[in-house]
Amino acid sequence: MIKGANVGLEELSESVDAVVVHLGWSSESGEADADASVLLLDGNGKVRSDADFYFYNNPTAPDGSVQLLGKRPTDDGSEDRLSLDLTAMPDDVERIAIAASRYGEECFGDLSDLRLTVTDPSGEALLEFSIPDAGVERAFVFGEFYRRNGQWKFRAVAQGYASGLAGLAIDFGIDVDEAEETDDEPADGTHVPSAEPEVVDTGSVSARAPVESGAPVPPQRRPEPAPASVAAEEVEERPARRRPRTAKKKVTLPKVAKRSLAENDAWRQARLFPVSSLKNDREREMRATSVLLSVMTQVPEFGRRLTAGFGAPAGRMETFTEVSLPHGDTPKRPDGVIRVERAGRLWTALVETKTNGSPLKAEQVQDYVDVAARRGYEAVITLSNDVALDGGPLVDVKIDRRRKHRVTLWHLSWAEVTHQAQMLIRHEGVGNAAHAWLLQELLHYLQHDNSGCHGFQNMGPAWVPVRNGIDTETLCQGDQRAVEVVESWERLIRQVCLRLGGELGQRALPVQRVRRNSDAGARRAALADRLCADGRLEAEVRVEGAPGTLAIVADLRTGKLRTSMEIPPAESGYPLTWAKRLVRQLSDAPADLHVETLLEGRPNGPRGTLERLRPEPGDLLPQESDVRITGFKLSLFKGMGSSRGHAETGFIRSVYDSVDRFWSSVVVPLERRPGRRAAAGAREA
């Protein structure tokens, strides 16, 4: 489509009750991003109320008509996805605007391959629209759905706002209230589960937008964490932020657990879903399927969160296990069935579950696809420990495209299930305390060592031969086993992102520095050749709110893992003050933390361990006073696990431990805002 063009959805597909919208972009740095949003508009082109603005902190409409599905990496960048159930759309909503905005002063001209794609519930593309000429705009309305003669149509809009979300808000009538910013986070930034949920006001949220004078707009999405380099003068007073008016209250877990009434640690708390008695993989699969599907039914927000991206309507959900379905001479028995009903429409998906690293079997999944096609079901969902790289299925099956009714095969990983449960129970909130308790029990089950639901668990059969080949210098470029290891490494990093994002309540995505229309296979082949040459696996993770990008390097030659982050210097003050403040902020960090000063035009700068730098922070300064300091690099090293699995001595567990240690002991202290006493001390220095 071109700008200004429009098309009726019924001209594109026979079934347009629901659609999924994909907003995509890419950048050579891999770090640029934007936020998708949806605005429901009346006949005058205005929101009916502030509740009609859906964004990252208000991702779901109560009636299920709108569901933001979140971001996911793609082969050539990243995309933000959202689901629209047009049958659930209120009658007085005449238009649905699909928008996106960037952060601060960043503009869309820094991104490439801006595109909007609309797919039907089966994932088949209905229309595509690109914006090739973006420039200084900081917000865009990509397109809009609108009613015409009782039917839904789509118009390619491509209207940009140099004023960012401020101009967009004025156009659509979004209002804000003044509110004080409060910080309920504990000092160490951790979230401790408790048996009793607490009620929090999710209206005290903010939107990423530049706040212009007098403009009634959602403000920045979050308070920026104070990096190590923040000037002391800037931390004493923080003005009150502007934010959208409060919505209904939600329930999350309290930040600090209440004191246990047990006499000692040997007392085990009673659990709704016992897990310690599971003896084999079949028992694990049956129990995991039953536990998950039952919670999806009882907690509507959670069930909708998991199924919206698969084309399920927003309606009444029922789930079943071990259902026998006719198939030739031998009935088939999928692990589960999900059925959703809305306005007389019935959506059905068969579920095939694997736990404890067991692989999916293509012939088994093929049988379920055939059964679903014959019975008129919409989808087959596979659920296992593996993470899909490209958002598609993990097994190849044959789907008869000649059938009028088509079945779509989807994949979901246990890591994604855990992530969504964490986001709801710890950060976004659910409707009532009973739902919060159910999600808490589900999380306890999924994270138990005996559940088999721990996400990605195996680096694959190529791991040991590749590791040995690098050690003996016999691995040659072009070896397909190296490509397999690179793919496993990408899956592991995706799991790291899900774990971090769920714990922190922030989006975490792998950084992919790719060019437009780049080929994923060629990119992985090039990374495999680099692995053969230098023996290292490298990745970067961008976490919202972090002072820098998290870098992870696994050196297979030395058997060491390196986690690091580069942070910028302060915008004001003197270099010696920067060094002193950095060392002071890292007072509780490990003594073996490596600190390096980054210098303009030079590959290496002064460096040392924190143990050596604590008495002499000035050792971080270059001898030449005219050399500009561009930042500081903080690194921790850890021995790398050797086995391919998820055991205590395995490679995967060592990566998790390395990331967890770096984040809790290095990044969290950097994010912590200095108090008045620290600010006064910095001024005296």
Side-chain angles (χ1 to χ4, degrees):
M1 295 184 67
I2 62 174
K3 181 177 180 179
N6 61 77
V7 63
L9 297 187
E10 291 191 354
E11 301 174 27
L12 305 175
S13 175
E14 296 182 359
S15 177
V16 290
D17 292 340
V19 294
V20 178
V21 181
H22 308 248
L23 299 182
W25 40 75
S26 60
S27 69
E28 292 191 16
S29 70
E31 299 182 17
D33 203 359
D35 273 329
S37 55
V38 178
L39 301 102
L40 305 186
L41 310 175
D42 59 19
N44 298 318
K46 305 292 184 181
V47 295
R48 300 168 302 168
S49 71
D50 291 344
D52 284 339
F53 176 42
Y54 296 98
F55 58 112
Y56 38 81
N57 262 337
N58 182 34
T60 307
D63 58 7
S65 57
V66 179
Q67 172 73 63
L68 270 63
L69 304 176
K71 294 182 184 293
R72 70 179 182 187
T74 62
D75 287 337
D76 56 356
S78 63
E79 67 176 16
D80 225 338
R81 300 169 299 139
L82 54 98
S83 172
L84 301 176
D85 188 340
L86 300 178
T87 63
M89 204 62 62
D91 293 338
D92 54 348
V93 172
E94 295 291 331
R95 294 161 51 194
I96 307 168
I98 309 299
S101 58
R102 298 215 61 200
Y103 325 135
E105 300 300 319
E106 298 172 350
C107 60
F108 276 92
D110 298 330
L111 301 176
S112 59
D113 196 21
L114 291 176
R115 61 198 181 275
L116 175 148
T117 304
V118 178
T119 66
D120 65 13
S122 70
E124 181 176 357
L126 302 179
L127 62 89
E128 295 183 356
F129 170 53
S130 297
I131 303 178
D133 54 352
V136 298
E137 299 89 352
R138 290 187 281 139
F140 255 107
V141 174
F142 279 63
E144 66 176 9
F145 297 88
Y146 63 98
R147 298 184 197 260
R148 181 63 54 87
N149 298 326
Q151 298 180 358
W152 284 101
K153 304 186 74 173
F154 176 82
R155 178 184 293 114
V157 177
Q159 179 180 354
Y161 295 83
S163 56
L165 207 55
L168 187 149
I170 292 173
D171 271 8
F172 295 119
I174 298 173
D175 195 11
V176 297
D177 281 342
E178 296 289 345
E180 288 263 343
E181 183 77 16
T182 59
D183 187 5
D184 295 324
E185 293 288 334
D188 61 356
T190 58
H191 299 276
V192 184
S194 169
E196 298 185 21
E198 66 178 356
V199 178
V200 298
D201 189 349
T202 59
S204 58
V205 296
S206 50
R208 277 183 172 145
V211 179
E212 300 195 354
S213 176
V217 299
Q220 295 282 54
R221 172 175 182 179
R222 62 186 186 286
E224 292 293 336
S229 55
V230 70
E233 292 78 8
E234 298 173 355
V235 301
E236 282 209 61
E237 297 294 335
R238 301 286 176 109
R241 292 183 178 272
R242 313 182 73 182
R243 58 185 62 158
R245 288 176 178 172
T246 58
K248 65 183 294 186
K249 296 194 173 188
K250 296 284 188 176
V251 180
T252 63
L253 292 179
K255 302 299 186 295
V256 180
K258 292 188 176 182
R259 183 178 61 86
S260 174
L261 301 181
E263 288 186 0
N264 55 64
D265 293 340
W267 286 28
R268 293 184 180 180
Q269 190 176 35
R271 291 294 179 184
L272 181 64
F273 308 121
V275 66
S276 57
S277 61
L278 298 176
K279 298 178 181 179
N280 54 59
D281 288 343
R282 182 57 184 160
E283 287 187 9
R284 291 186 181 92
E285 290 175 8
M286 294 175 62
R287 179 72 60 83
T289 304
S290 182
V291 167
L292 173 62
L293 296 186
S294 63
V295 175
M296 288 173 60
T297 301
Q298 298 303 318
V299 185
E301 302 98 321
F302 183 58
R304 178 64 179 155
R305 181 71 64 91
L306 293 182
T307 59
F310 302 151
R316 182 174 67 93
M317 178 183 294
E318 285 191 19
T319 56
F320 311 86
T321 59
E322 299 296 316
V323 176
S324 180
L325 299 173
H327 182 67
D329 297 332
T330 307
K332 298 302 175 184
R333 192 182 295 271
D335 293 313
V337 178
I338 302 173
R339 305 203 88 173
V340 183
E341 180 190 37
R342 182 180 181 88
R345 175 191 171 197
L346 191 63
W347 180 91
T348 307
L350 305 182
V351 180
E352 168 62 9
T353 302
K354 295 295 180 185
T355 59
N356 210 33
S358 299
L360 293 164
K361 298 177 181 178
E363 62 275 10
Q364 192 175 33
V365 177
Q366 181 69 67
D367 287 341
Y368 295 148
V369 169
D370 293 341
V371 169
R374 291 191 178 95
R375 301 183 68 84
Y377 298 162
E378 283 73 18
V380 173
I381 301 172
T382 58
L383 178 59
S384 72
N385 303 93
D386 284 335
V387 179
L389 287 180
D390 306 317
L394 283 183
V395 295
D396 293 326
V397 298
K398 295 179 181 180
I399 297 178
D400 191 348
R401 302 291 178 180
R402 298 170 298 178
R403 287 180 178 270
K404 182 178 180 180
H405 180 85
R406 289 169 47 190
V407 178
T408 307
L409 179 61
W410 302 97
H411 180 71
L412 188 65
S413 74
W414 286 113
E416 293 170 287
V417 173
T418 301
H419 171 80
Q420 296 296 351
Q422 286 178 315
M423 292 299 294
L424 282 172
I425 190 59
R426 295 181 178 175
H427 310 291
E428 297 173 12
V430 290
N432 57 58
H435 291 171
W437 179 72
L438 279 173
L439 278 180
Q440 181 185 6
E441 291 298 298
L442 172 66
L443 270 178
H444 179 268
Y445 179 90
L446 296 176
Q447 295 173 338
H448 194 281
D449 289 338
N450 198 36
S451 70
C453 304
H454 299 109
F456 182 71
Q457 291 188 325
N458 199 309
M459 289 295 291
W463 170 253
V464 173
V466 167
R467 189 197 67 203
N468 293 338
I470 290 175
D471 187 48
T472 59
E473 299 185 5
T474 57
L475 188 66
C476 300
Q477 293 186 348
D479 194 319
Q480 183 61 31
R481 294 175 301 179
V483 177
E484 295 176 15
V485 168
V486 167
E487 291 178 347
S488 295
W489 173 248
E490 287 191 19
R491 290 189 174 94
L492 176 56
I493 296 303
R494 298 279 177 91
Q495 170 110 354
V496 168
C497 292
L498 290 170
R499 291 176 80 250
L500 270 179
E503 290 293 336
L504 303 174
Q506 301 285 2
R507 281 192 298 241
L509 288 172
V511 174
Q512 294 187 169
R513 293 180 170 85
V514 295
R515 296 184 180 274
R516 182 177 180 178
N517 299 324
S518 61
D519 179 71
R523 177 177 59 83
R524 292 183 182 121
L527 293 175
D529 288 343
R530 286 178 51 188
L531 171 62
C532 296
D534 58 28
R536 295 192 300 176
L537 293 165
E538 301 179 356
E540 291 179 298
V541 175
R542 175 172 48 84
V543 181
E544 285 185 312
T549 299
L550 174 66
I552 308 169
V553 178
D555 193 325
L556 275 66
R557 286 203 172 108
T558 63
K560 294 287 186 180
L561 282 167
R562 176 176 185 160
T563 46
S564 63
M565 181 175 289
E566 295 182 5
I567 60 174
E571 296 180 358
S572 61
Y574 296 98
L576 181 58
T577 304
W578 304 343
K580 288 182 177 180
R581 187 178 301 118
L582 177 61
V583 172
R584 184 166 52 248
Q585 282 187 293
L586 297 171
S587 59
D588 295 328
D592 60 343
L593 177 70
H594 285 237
V595 184
E596 177 185 357
T597 304
L598 305 177
L599 305 178
E600 185 176 44
R602 298 193 180 184
N604 299 307
R607 67 186 69 187
T609 63
L610 193 57
E611 182 179 28
R612 185 176 67 82
L613 293 170
R614 277 170 176 153
E616 293 294 339
D619 289 349
L620 283 172
L621 304 183
Q623 295 181 354
E624 303 88 343
S625 59
D626 58 342
V627 178
R628 191 171 77 89
I629 295 176
T630 61
F632 300 94
K633 182 175 182 178
L634 312 175
S635 305
L636 275 180
F637 295 86
K638 172 182 171 57
M640 188 179 75
S642 57
S643 63
R644 70 185 191 183
H646 191 263
E648 289 288 343
T649 58
F651 174 72
I652 295 175
R653 184 69 64 89
S654 66
V655 172
Y656 293 161
D657 292 345
S658 180
V659 171
D660 292 346
R661 179 176 181 242
F662 185 84
W663 200 271
S664 62
S665 63
V666 178
V667 180
V668 169
L670 292 179
E671 291 180 326
R672 209 172 290 153
R673 183 188 304 175
R676 293 179 181 271
R677 183 178 300 177
R683 280 195 293 271
E684 292 175 2

